Amino acid sequence: MTRTKRASSTDVARLAGVSQSAVSRAFSAKGAISDQLRQKVRAAALQLGYRPNALASSLITNRTNMIALMTGDIANPHYARTINAFSLGLQERGLHVLLISLVDGQKVEDAVEEVLRYRVDGVIVISAALSAEVGEACQQVGVPVVLYNRYVKQPNVCSVRIENSDGGRRIADFLVDEGHQRVGFISGTPVDPTSADREEGFTRRIAQRGAEIVARVEGGFDFDSGRSGFAQIWTGQRQPSAVFCASDLMALGALDAARHDFGLDVPQDVSIVGFDDLPAAAWPSYQLTTIRQPVEAMVKTGLDLLMARINDPSATTQTVLIPGELVVRSSTRTSGAG
Amino acid sequence: MTRTKRASSTDVARLAGVSQSAVSRAFSAKGAISDQLRQKVRAAALQLGYRPNALASSLITNRTNMIALMTGDIANPHYARTINAFSLGLQERGLHVLLISLVDGQKVEDAVEEVLRYRVDGVIVISAALSAEVGEACQQVGVPVVLYNRYVKQPNVCSVRIENSDGGRRIADFLVDEGHQRVGFISGTPVDPTSADREEGFTRRIAQRGAEIVARVEGGFDFDSGRSGFAQIWTGQRQPSAVFCASDLMALGALDAARHDFGLDVPQDVSIVGFDDLPAAAWPSYQLTTIRQPVEAMVKTGLDLLMARINDPSATTQTVLIPGELVVRSSTRTSGAG
DNA sequence: TTGAAAGCGGTACCAG
DNA sequence: CTGGTACCGCTTTCAA
């Protein structure tokens, strides 16, 4: 019984002996229709395996109930949990997710162009890769955009992000408080403002406190770059007593490098700090000191901003900054003095 | 200049002084149209910020170029990398991803129902949660389905999966070869056939080889259940010399429990084996012996199956079994004898 | 409440 | 190659 063509509202109407309007009303929540008629329609629909075509209706309602989620590498656990939270949150709100993975070399504009063809009701940008062009293009066609942990000097684009600079500052304070005077830093992808901001706050405060950054290497936010970054630092001219990595994943790599590639004792020989508070940061093997990103809260905020704009496109745009929380575990030395 | 209404092909046609058909052709790859006309149309389109409405065209072409990806917990690294691979592969093929996260309590049928409204060209099921109903519903409306690491006794549904039973068998052989006689097992979610198959192959072969399963606990595929599962095993009546966990994530938890909660030496005191070969399995802290799932190859196969069915719905359905590969690292003891 | 008819934004067939 | 026209499946006035 393979049917090559799906039943349409016309088919249902014919079978039920009612008008097409009746079918439409039977499936719409606020349709003014008698129970009796609705029953009849539903029965016919069931018999034909009819399901309303959401795309056809979008044509007239101007709502697709689809939101584009533009992301970077999903395999990166930080993105993974963010996507997960957004995906669940959107579904709870009755929206569907059009997932776009930005590939490294890919032209961002093309991806946006593509998405706009699908008439999504909104766009959420999580990726590290894009920014201004997107806001531009979407704004022109009136599609609300929310930037997650990104920002752009553009008006009319909402964003939520963690206080990166402040996070870096807290880590600097913490390390100096614990007696560190020579520290190192492993950055994320060079172009990423997230990494830059964390570094800025860190660097500035380290200097203010009279400590010194004796090594800095460029990483790429992934495990391996943390591992090789640490190696580069440790084999360099001056060895720091603590290394701050711009992301947890890199910190895990750095920690493993310290322990397993160099046979060091962490935190006695060197302290390691990350940023994000991934689940793995709490695993017994790592016990990483880090800045916690309250993902749930951030995602909720992002969704609220998006929904607000969708429901009222003229609503003022907002930028919400969310403070991180220093989570001290045992990858960092605690000074005897307290 | 915020426009509340987007330009349509009619608008472009009017501005360019051409027919609507011309606009359509100008944006379709195989449109028989002169370069000159195309230029003119494109210019007008650019001026109006026009983009073809993919949804409207789907109405007539019966193709949306959207594929539903139904998944479980994205935060689980195993799912994350699978989704990543599918997402990239689909994009390469010019398809878009409608991402559906199955929530635990959620009725699967509802999710499918929802997806079918969007007229996706195909469905890929990665989740642990669903199976038969989906195939049923989709098949009735002629939407190709591919099951990833799932199966169902249903005809007309394609699937790819790793040889779970065989993987369990190989691990049993490996452990016995290395001199283990008393082993333990931590399962995944009880209802999951993936876990059951791995266990079946493992258990049977362990018995065949004259070794013994001295402990078995139920886990849930996550880190914590591996950790607590190991604790349960180790504090039980008889301690095994090796524990096989139905997934890597659980194995990492078990390994951490052994080392950090019980102060054991892995692999001297106890060997730990997982299944999946997550990136983390290769991290220096873990060095987990496991069965590698060739994710890229499996996903490619899944996509090929899906595309074949989309292009020819009458194509015969296939089930592809892909063998896993035993990856021996240092979480397992190597017998001196070799 | 119910039905008829006019589109929503495109595509495809047809004649020229 | 180009334009006219019917129609995809649904929602939404507007009358009845």
Side-chain angles (χ1 to χ4, degrees), chain A residues 99-132:
Chain A
L99 183 72
I100 318 291
S101 308
L102 275 310
V103 186
D104 265 0
Q106 192 190 13
K107 280 274 300 279
V108 172
E109 289 186 2
D110 294 348
V112 177
E113 202 66 21
E114 200 50 36
V115 160
L116 292 179
R117 287 201 201 320
Y118 280 81
R119 298 301 192 259
V120 292
D121 294 338
V123 175
I124 297 171
V125 180
I126 314 183
S127 163
L130 48 79
S131 54

Side-chain angles (χ1 to χ4, degrees), chain A residues 259-326:
Chain A
R259 282 196 184 133
H260 301 279
D261 298 336
F262 290 89
L264 302 174
D265 181 307
V266 177
Q268 283 316 311
D269 297 329
V270 62
S271 291
I272 305 283
V273 184
F275 201 114
D276 283 342
D277 196 28
L278 294 183
W283 290 356
S285 281
Y286 297 105
Q287 286 295 316
L288 191 66
T289 292
T290 187
I291 296 282
R292 170 173 300 159
Q293 291 205 46
V295 177
E296 301 296 329
M298 290 174 66
V299 164
K300 181 179 181 325
T301 303
L303 288 174
D304 288 346
L305 290 176
L306 187 69
M307 298 313 288
R309 290 228 89 193
I310 288 177
N311 295 325
D312 176 13
S314 66
T316 52
T317 52
Q318 292 184 50
T319 293
V320 178
L321 282 178
I322 297 199
E325 178 196 349
L326 180 67

